[in-house]
Amino acid sequence: MTQTTETPMVELKGVKKRFGDLEVLKGIDLSVDRGKIISIIGPSGSGKSTLLRSVNNLEVIDEGTILLDGVQVNRPDLKGLAYEKHINHIRQNMGMVFQHFNLFPHLSTLDNVTLAPRKLKGMKASDARALGMELLERVGLADKAQVYPSALSGGQKQRVAIARALAMRPKVMLFDEATSALDPELVEEVNLVMKGLAEEHMTMLIVTHEMTFARDVSDWAMFMDGGVVVEANTPEHLFSHPDQERTQHFLRKHLGAQA
Amino acid sequence: MDINLMIDITPLLVEAAWVTVDISARALFFGFFIASALVALRTSRIPPVRWLARAYISVVRGTPYFVQLLLIFYGGPAIGLRLDPFTCGVVVGAFNIGAYMSEAMRGAIESVDSGQNEASRSLGFGRLATLQHIIMPQAAPLMIRSIGVLAIILVKNSSLVSIISVVELTYQAQRLIGSTYKPLEVFMLSALMYIVIIYAVMGIVEFLYRRATRYTFL
């Protein structure tokens, strides 16, 4: 395969993170190739969300290295404004989707999507509008362009949040439990949008509780517990024949609870 | 009641009321910038800067406005700070209201959900751009009404600058009583003018509040 010689899109080496005395990430290594989809599963408190948030430096790691397309994300050597400039630039290349959507309530749906390209890339209003409409179309919400977030359902909010993240043309998309706060009947519409992205070979890192979804879309699945990667494998293997007892236990409990 | 007298002195009082409006508006304007600076200083990464801002706010809030006014007007020259009465009224008013306003602003900013900051930062917006485009538009409705209350207090406090002989509404009223010996008529009329000013302030505040919250009604 020629892919192995390519620079990974996202690479983590020996990532450690502490909150006070509690070490939540105890040395994580991970490599995500271009166009691949990695799912991270695990119990709450396992460190999976912290790991995802570390990738775009919403959490500042204590040790290790994070690379985006070969460029180092965490830069302990940079201070103050130099660091700000660096991280703002890096973050423009990563889209992040949050559990609680975090749409901007004072902006219309369309403005939520176009704000970043207009202000950060200096895109012309008409171009931004066209881009915004195209993205809203893609998530099936073009008819809601002028509506404010308060008038949207949870599933619609999350689809707008995805469009907003895509508006910066990111190299990678990070999903932090994107469907966990949704009513069960609204999960599917968000999953469909994510599947659409998968088909377009968007590189994605997905922290999720949706085991079925993770199995269906991922190229690689990771089970985390207690700040370490317990097991990582193809989703077929990890979900059907996990090697580790902790993984088996988690899946049994989780799938049992789902049924 | 001497209605004719009241009609006669109305122009003089209106003129003085305008000074009250002028001094309060200027104090509010500069106070806003002082408040913004205090908010910035209070979130500084350098601890002594934060302490200084906090200490300043404590001193202002812990002393009467009247004393602050006398201190700067009569005590100022001793350290080379010579201000004419009107300027002194504006400066002390601005620094006084700025301290209170900074607390109102900080409270409003802090009550915006932290997820808003994260979402904005994750898109690549810097700290200031996030404050400008995301946080302030949401914090504004939360602070407008408390700033309005402070503006009303500012207008009423401005009557105290009569002590340093700024010819504003209250000073003028006292002068007119000296020449007419009709305190009831003069003070009633001046009180009425304060009410008019304060209702105007409340109207402006409500207008701004509705503008700032437009999005929640659409």
PDB file of all heavy atoms in Angstrom, chain B residues 10 12 15 37 52 59 64 71-72 74 79 84 87 100 102 115 121 127 133 140-141 163 171 183-184 196 208:
ATOM      1  N   THR B  10     -38.978  78.126  34.722  1.00  0.00           N
ATOM      2  CA  THR B  10     -38.788  76.900  33.941  1.00  0.00           C
ATOM      3  C   THR B  10     -37.597  76.975  32.960  1.00  0.00           C
ATOM      4  O   THR B  10     -36.773  76.067  32.948  1.00  0.00           O
ATOM      5  CB  THR B  10     -40.084  76.512  33.209  1.00  0.00           C
ATOM      6  OG1 THR B  10     -41.065  76.181  34.184  1.00  0.00           O
ATOM      7  CG2 THR B  10     -39.878  75.310  32.289  1.00  0.00           C
ATOM      8  N   LEU B  12     -34.861  78.614  33.118  1.00  0.00           N
ATOM      9  CA  LEU B  12     -33.598  78.550  33.867  1.00  0.00           C
ATOM     10  C   LEU B  12     -33.316  77.125  34.336  1.00  0.00           C
ATOM     11  O   LEU B  12     -32.186  76.640  34.286  1.00  0.00           O
ATOM     12  CB  LEU B  12     -33.651  79.496  35.074  1.00  0.00           C
ATOM     13  CG  LEU B  12     -33.537  80.991  34.760  1.00  0.00           C
ATOM     14  CD1 LEU B  12     -33.793  81.822  36.016  1.00  0.00           C
ATOM     15  CD2 LEU B  12     -32.143  81.296  34.193  1.00  0.00           C
ATOM     16  N   GLU B  15     -32.394  74.816  31.411  1.00  0.00           N
ATOM     17  CA  GLU B  15     -30.990  75.036  31.045  1.00  0.00           C
ATOM     18  C   GLU B  15     -30.062  74.268  31.993  1.00  0.00           C
ATOM     19  O   GLU B  15     -29.114  73.612  31.571  1.00  0.00           O
ATOM     20  CB  GLU B  15     -30.705  76.533  31.136  1.00  0.00           C
ATOM     21  CG  GLU B  15     -29.558  76.999  30.266  1.00  0.00           C
ATOM     22  CD  GLU B  15     -29.354  78.498  30.448  1.00  0.00           C
ATOM     23  OE1 GLU B  15     -30.356  79.244  30.459  1.00  0.00           O
ATOM     24  OE2 GLU B  15     -28.199  78.903  30.617  1.00  0.00           O
ATOM     25  N   ALA B  37     -12.097  48.455  30.601  1.00  0.00           N
ATOM     26  CA  ALA B  37     -10.695  48.267  30.976  1.00  0.00           C
ATOM     27  C   ALA B  37     -10.601  47.446  32.260  1.00  0.00           C
ATOM     28  O   ALA B  37      -9.774  46.531  32.364  1.00  0.00           O
ATOM     29  CB  ALA B  37     -10.015  49.619  31.164  1.00  0.00           C
ATOM     30  N   LEU B  52      -4.987  44.762  41.685  1.00  0.00           N
ATOM     31  CA  LEU B  52      -5.109  46.207  41.596  1.00  0.00           C
ATOM     32  C   LEU B  52      -6.515  46.603  41.162  1.00  0.00           C
ATOM     33  O   LEU B  52      -7.146  47.486  41.749  1.00  0.00           O
ATOM     34  CB  LEU B  52      -4.077  46.730  40.594  1.00  0.00           C
ATOM     35  CG  LEU B  52      -3.464  48.086  40.900  1.00  0.00           C
ATOM     36  CD1 LEU B  52      -2.619  48.012  42.170  1.00  0.00           C
ATOM     37  CD2 LEU B  52      -2.608  48.558  39.721  1.00  0.00           C
ATOM     38  N   VAL B  59     -12.498  49.990  46.729  1.00  0.00           N
ATOM     39  CA  VAL B  59     -12.404  51.345  47.285  1.00  0.00           C
ATOM     40  C   VAL B  59     -13.582  52.194  46.806  1.00  0.00           C
ATOM     41  O   VAL B  59     -14.238  52.868  47.608  1.00  0.00           O
ATOM     42  CB  VAL B  59     -11.064  52.012  46.889  1.00  0.00           C
ATOM     43  CG1 VAL B  59     -11.076  53.493  47.231  1.00  0.00           C
ATOM     44  CG2 VAL B  59      -9.905  51.319  47.602  1.00  0.00           C
ATOM     45  N   PRO B  64     -18.514  56.697  49.952  1.00  0.00           N
ATOM     46  CA  PRO B  64     -19.628  57.450  49.355  1.00  0.00           C
ATOM     47  C   PRO B  64     -19.159  58.285  48.163  1.00  0.00           C
ATOM     48  O   PRO B  64     -18.037  58.799  48.160  1.00  0.00           O
ATOM     49  CB  PRO B  64     -20.092  58.385  50.485  1.00  0.00           C
ATOM     50  CG  PRO B  64     -19.453  57.862  51.723  1.00  0.00           C
ATOM     51  CD  PRO B  64     -18.208  57.149  51.320  1.00  0.00           C
ATOM     52  N   LEU B  71     -12.967  64.611  47.816  1.00  0.00           N
ATOM     53  CA  LEU B  71     -11.562  64.201  47.864  1.00  0.00           C
ATOM     54  C   LEU B  71     -10.814  64.673  46.618  1.00  0.00           C
ATOM     55  O   LEU B  71      -9.738  65.262  46.702  1.00  0.00           O
ATOM     56  CB  LEU B  71     -11.472  62.679  47.996  1.00  0.00           C
ATOM     57  CG  LEU B  71     -10.055  62.086  48.000  1.00  0.00           C
ATOM     58  CD1 LEU B  71      -9.358  62.386  49.319  1.00  0.00           C
ATOM     59  CD2 LEU B  71     -10.093  60.592  47.754  1.00  0.00           C
ATOM     60  N   ILE B  72     -11.405  64.422  45.458  1.00  0.00           N
ATOM     61  CA  ILE B  72     -10.712  64.770  44.214  1.00  0.00           C
ATOM     62  C   ILE B  72     -10.722  66.287  43.986  1.00  0.00           C
ATOM     63  O   ILE B  72      -9.718  66.872  43.595  1.00  0.00           O
ATOM     64  CB  ILE B  72     -11.362  64.043  43.001  1.00  0.00           C
ATOM     65  CG1 ILE B  72     -11.280  62.519  43.162  1.00  0.00           C
ATOM     66  CG2 ILE B  72     -10.683  64.464  41.693  1.00  0.00           C
ATOM     67  CD1 ILE B  72      -9.888  61.952  43.303  1.00  0.00           C
ATOM     68  N   TYR B  74     -11.152  68.850  46.270  1.00  0.00           N
ATOM     69  CA  TYR B  74     -10.391  69.645  47.237  1.00  0.00           C
ATOM     70  C   TYR B  74      -9.035  69.039  47.546  1.00  0.00           C
ATOM     71  O   TYR B  74      -8.097  69.753  47.866  1.00  0.00           O
ATOM     72  CB  TYR B  74     -11.208  69.827  48.528  1.00  0.00           C
ATOM     73  CG  TYR B  74     -12.438  70.682  48.302  1.00  0.00           C
ATOM     74  CD1 TYR B  74     -13.722  70.145  48.352  1.00  0.00           C
ATOM     75  CD2 TYR B  74     -12.297  72.042  48.018  1.00  0.00           C
ATOM     76  CE1 TYR B  74     -14.835  70.918  48.114  1.00  0.00           C
ATOM     77  CE2 TYR B  74     -13.417  72.831  47.772  1.00  0.00           C
ATOM     78  CZ  TYR B  74     -14.676  72.260  47.827  1.00  0.00           C
ATOM     79  OH  TYR B  74     -15.772  73.046  47.598  1.00  0.00           O
ATOM     80  N   ILE B  79      -1.954  67.194  45.082  1.00  0.00           N
ATOM     81  CA  ILE B  79      -1.059  66.321  44.313  1.00  0.00           C
ATOM     82  C   ILE B  79      -1.021  66.769  42.840  1.00  0.00           C
ATOM     83  O   ILE B  79      -0.706  65.991  41.948  1.00  0.00           O
ATOM     84  CB  ILE B  79      -1.476  64.828  44.426  1.00  0.00           C
ATOM     85  CG1 ILE B  79      -2.968  64.654  44.068  1.00  0.00           C
ATOM     86  CG2 ILE B  79      -1.195  64.277  45.814  1.00  0.00           C
ATOM     87  CD1 ILE B  79      -3.350  63.225  43.736  1.00  0.00           C
ATOM     88  N   ASP B  84     -11.470  71.789  36.801  1.00  0.00           N
ATOM     89  CA  ASP B  84     -12.583  72.711  36.983  1.00  0.00           C
ATOM     90  C   ASP B  84     -13.784  71.882  37.441  1.00  0.00           C
ATOM     91  O   ASP B  84     -13.818  70.670  37.240  1.00  0.00           O
ATOM     92  CB  ASP B  84     -12.879  73.480  35.684  1.00  0.00           C
ATOM     93  CG  ASP B  84     -13.361  72.566  34.587  1.00  0.00           C
ATOM     94  OD1 ASP B  84     -14.571  72.278  34.546  1.00  0.00           O
ATOM     95  OD2 ASP B  84     -12.505  72.120  33.781  1.00  0.00           O
ATOM     96  N   THR B  87     -15.484  69.369  34.883  1.00  0.00           N
ATOM     97  CA  THR B  87     -14.609  68.242  34.548  1.00  0.00           C
ATOM     98  C   THR B  87     -14.476  67.281  35.716  1.00  0.00           C
ATOM     99  O   THR B  87     -14.506  66.062  35.552  1.00  0.00           O
ATOM    100  CB  THR B  87     -13.213  68.760  34.139  1.00  0.00           C
ATOM    101  OG1 THR B  87     -13.373  69.765  33.155  1.00  0.00           O
ATOM    102  CG2 THR B  87     -12.359  67.636  33.601  1.00  0.00           C
ATOM    103  N   TYR B 100     -18.721  50.175  39.239  1.00  0.00           N
ATOM    104  CA  TYR B 100     -19.964  49.404  39.343  1.00  0.00           C
ATOM    105  C   TYR B 100     -20.291  48.708  38.012  1.00  0.00           C
ATOM    106  O   TYR B 100     -20.702  47.548  37.976  1.00  0.00           O
ATOM    107  CB  TYR B 100     -21.130  50.317  39.722  1.00  0.00           C
ATOM    108  CG  TYR B 100     -21.084  50.793  41.153  1.00  0.00           C
ATOM    109  CD1 TYR B 100     -20.538  52.026  41.485  1.00  0.00           C
ATOM    110  CD2 TYR B 100     -21.588  49.997  42.182  1.00  0.00           C
ATOM    111  CE1 TYR B 100     -20.487  52.463  42.798  1.00  0.00           C
ATOM    112  CE2 TYR B 100     -21.545  50.423  43.490  1.00  0.00           C
ATOM    113  CZ  TYR B 100     -20.996  51.662  43.792  1.00  0.00           C
ATOM    114  OH  TYR B 100     -20.952  52.077  45.093  1.00  0.00           O
ATOM    115  N   SER B 102     -18.315  47.743  35.702  1.00  0.00           N
ATOM    116  CA  SER B 102     -17.424  46.615  35.388  1.00  0.00           C
ATOM    117  C   SER B 102     -17.943  45.332  36.035  1.00  0.00           C
ATOM    118  O   SER B 102     -17.849  44.254  35.453  1.00  0.00           O
ATOM    119  CB  SER B 102     -15.995  46.911  35.846  1.00  0.00           C
ATOM    120  OG  SER B 102     -15.890  46.791  37.242  1.00  0.00           O
ATOM    121  N   GLY B 115     -19.671  26.823  26.571  1.00  0.00           N
ATOM    122  CA  GLY B 115     -19.657  26.127  25.289  1.00  0.00           C
ATOM    123  C   GLY B 115     -19.577  27.090  24.109  1.00  0.00           C
ATOM    124  O   GLY B 115     -19.049  26.749  23.052  1.00  0.00           O
ATOM    125  N   ARG B 121     -13.743  29.272  19.691  1.00  0.00           N
ATOM    126  CA  ARG B 121     -12.300  29.020  19.641  1.00  0.00           C
ATOM    127  C   ARG B 121     -11.986  27.855  18.717  1.00  0.00           C
ATOM    128  O   ARG B 121     -10.985  27.854  18.010  1.00  0.00           O
ATOM    129  CB  ARG B 121     -11.748  28.743  21.060  1.00  0.00           C
ATOM    130  CG  ARG B 121     -11.885  29.890  22.039  1.00  0.00           C
ATOM    131  CD  ARG B 121     -11.329  31.202  21.538  1.00  0.00           C
ATOM    132  NE  ARG B 121      -9.925  31.136  21.201  1.00  0.00           N
ATOM    133  CZ  ARG B 121      -8.919  31.316  22.057  1.00  0.00           C
ATOM    134  NH1 ARG B 121      -9.171  31.591  23.306  1.00  0.00           N
ATOM    135  NH2 ARG B 121      -7.663  31.246  21.663  1.00  0.00           N
ATOM    136  N   ARG B 127      -9.212  35.137  21.179  1.00  0.00           N
ATOM    137  CA  ARG B 127      -9.892  35.587  22.381  1.00  0.00           C
ATOM    138  C   ARG B 127     -10.738  36.834  22.132  1.00  0.00           C
ATOM    139  O   ARG B 127     -11.905  36.902  22.500  1.00  0.00           O
ATOM    140  CB  ARG B 127      -8.839  35.962  23.427  1.00  0.00           C
ATOM    141  CG  ARG B 127      -8.783  35.062  24.619  1.00  0.00           C
ATOM    142  CD  ARG B 127      -7.681  35.556  25.533  1.00  0.00           C
ATOM    143  NE  ARG B 127      -6.587  34.594  25.585  1.00  0.00           N
ATOM    144  CZ  ARG B 127      -6.560  33.561  26.407  1.00  0.00           C
ATOM    145  NH1 ARG B 127      -7.535  33.360  27.244  1.00  0.00           N
ATOM    146  NH2 ARG B 127      -5.556  32.715  26.398  1.00  0.00           N
ATOM    147  N   HIS B 133     -17.547  38.880  18.578  1.00  0.00           N
ATOM    148  CA  HIS B 133     -18.583  38.315  17.716  1.00  0.00           C
ATOM    149  C   HIS B 133     -19.538  37.368  18.441  1.00  0.00           C
ATOM    150  O   HIS B 133     -20.674  37.194  18.029  1.00  0.00           O
ATOM    151  CB  HIS B 133     -17.950  37.544  16.552  1.00  0.00           C
ATOM    152  CG  HIS B 133     -17.127  38.406  15.653  1.00  0.00           C
ATOM    153  ND1 HIS B 133     -17.646  39.479  14.976  1.00  0.00           N
ATOM    154  CD2 HIS B 133     -15.809  38.355  15.337  1.00  0.00           C
ATOM    155  CE1 HIS B 133     -16.683  40.048  14.266  1.00  0.00           C
ATOM    156  NE2 HIS B 133     -15.563  39.395  14.478  1.00  0.00           N
ATOM    157  N   ALA B 140     -24.660  41.302  26.143  1.00  0.00           N
ATOM    158  CA  ALA B 140     -25.245  42.652  26.123  1.00  0.00           C
ATOM    159  C   ALA B 140     -26.649  42.710  26.718  1.00  0.00           C
ATOM    160  O   ALA B 140     -26.909  43.538  27.589  1.00  0.00           O
ATOM    161  CB  ALA B 140     -25.226  43.211  24.704  1.00  0.00           C
ATOM    162  N   PRO B 141     -27.573  41.822  26.275  1.00  0.00           N
ATOM    163  CA  PRO B 141     -28.909  41.918  26.855  1.00  0.00           C
ATOM    164  C   PRO B 141     -28.903  41.712  28.369  1.00  0.00           C
ATOM    165  O   PRO B 141     -29.739  42.257  29.069  1.00  0.00           O
ATOM    166  CB  PRO B 141     -29.705  40.798  26.174  1.00  0.00           C
ATOM    167  CG  PRO B 141     -28.836  40.237  25.122  1.00  0.00           C
ATOM    168  CD  PRO B 141     -27.472  40.793  25.247  1.00  0.00           C
ATOM    169  N   ILE B 163     -22.324  70.730  45.133  1.00  0.00           N
ATOM    170  CA  ILE B 163     -21.471  71.120  46.262  1.00  0.00           C
ATOM    171  C   ILE B 163     -20.156  71.738  45.783  1.00  0.00           C
ATOM    172  O   ILE B 163     -19.555  72.531  46.482  1.00  0.00           O
ATOM    173  CB  ILE B 163     -21.207  69.901  47.195  1.00  0.00           C
ATOM    174  CG1 ILE B 163     -20.772  70.373  48.591  1.00  0.00           C
ATOM    175  CG2 ILE B 163     -20.147  68.974  46.650  1.00  0.00           C
ATOM    176  CD1 ILE B 163     -21.866  71.043  49.380  1.00  0.00           C
ATOM    177  N   TYR B 171     -28.152  72.764  41.887  1.00  0.00           N
ATOM    178  CA  TYR B 171     -27.490  74.017  42.235  1.00  0.00           C
ATOM    179  C   TYR B 171     -28.359  75.203  41.829  1.00  0.00           C
ATOM    180  O   TYR B 171     -28.566  76.140  42.581  1.00  0.00           O
ATOM    181  CB  TYR B 171     -26.129  74.087  41.538  1.00  0.00           C
ATOM    182  CG  TYR B 171     -25.279  75.258  41.948  1.00  0.00           C
ATOM    183  CD1 TYR B 171     -24.420  75.154  43.048  1.00  0.00           C
ATOM    184  CD2 TYR B 171     -25.316  76.459  41.248  1.00  0.00           C
ATOM    185  CE1 TYR B 171     -23.633  76.221  43.443  1.00  0.00           C
ATOM    186  CE2 TYR B 171     -24.537  77.544  41.625  1.00  0.00           C
ATOM    187  CZ  TYR B 171     -23.685  77.423  42.722  1.00  0.00           C
ATOM    188  OH  TYR B 171     -22.899  78.473  43.087  1.00  0.00           O
ATOM    189  N   PRO B 183     -39.291  77.463  48.128  1.00  0.00           N
ATOM    190  CA  PRO B 183     -38.667  76.131  47.988  1.00  0.00           C
ATOM    191  C   PRO B 183     -39.621  75.072  47.433  1.00  0.00           C
ATOM    192  O   PRO B 183     -39.204  74.218  46.653  1.00  0.00           O
ATOM    193  CB  PRO B 183     -38.218  75.782  49.408  1.00  0.00           C
ATOM    194  CG  PRO B 183     -38.970  76.698  50.302  1.00  0.00           C
ATOM    195  CD  PRO B 183     -39.292  77.933  49.508  1.00  0.00           C
ATOM    196  N   LEU B 184     -40.905  75.120  47.795  1.00  0.00           N
ATOM    197  CA  LEU B 184     -41.831  74.091  47.336  1.00  0.00           C
ATOM    198  C   LEU B 184     -41.940  74.096  45.811  1.00  0.00           C
ATOM    199  O   LEU B 184     -41.764  73.079  45.150  1.00  0.00           O
ATOM    200  CB  LEU B 184     -43.215  74.307  47.970  1.00  0.00           C
ATOM    201  CG  LEU B 184     -44.279  73.277  47.535  1.00  0.00           C
ATOM    202  CD1 LEU B 184     -43.952  71.904  48.116  1.00  0.00           C
ATOM    203  CD2 LEU B 184     -45.674  73.714  47.943  1.00  0.00           C
ATOM    204  N   VAL B 196     -38.339  63.406  34.396  1.00  0.00           N
ATOM    205  CA  VAL B 196     -38.338  63.393  32.931  1.00  0.00           C
ATOM    206  C   VAL B 196     -37.028  62.789  32.404  1.00  0.00           C
ATOM    207  O   VAL B 196     -37.026  61.928  31.522  1.00  0.00           O
ATOM    208  CB  VAL B 196     -38.549  64.821  32.371  1.00  0.00           C
ATOM    209  CG1 VAL B 196     -38.301  64.839  30.865  1.00  0.00           C
ATOM    210  CG2 VAL B 196     -39.952  65.311  32.686  1.00  0.00           C
ATOM    211  N   LEU B 208     -32.762  49.773  23.746  1.00  0.00           N
ATOM    212  CA  LEU B 208     -31.524  49.020  23.516  1.00  0.00           C
ATOM    213  C   LEU B 208     -31.702  47.550  23.878  1.00  0.00           C
ATOM    214  O   LEU B 208     -31.212  46.655  23.193  1.00  0.00           O
ATOM    215  CB  LEU B 208     -30.368  49.617  24.335  1.00  0.00           C
ATOM    216  CG  LEU B 208     -29.899  51.006  23.916  1.00  0.00           C
ATOM    217  CD1 LEU B 208     -28.839  51.529  24.882  1.00  0.00           C
ATOM    218  CD2 LEU B 208     -29.330  50.971  22.493  1.00  0.00           C
TER     219      LEU B 208
END
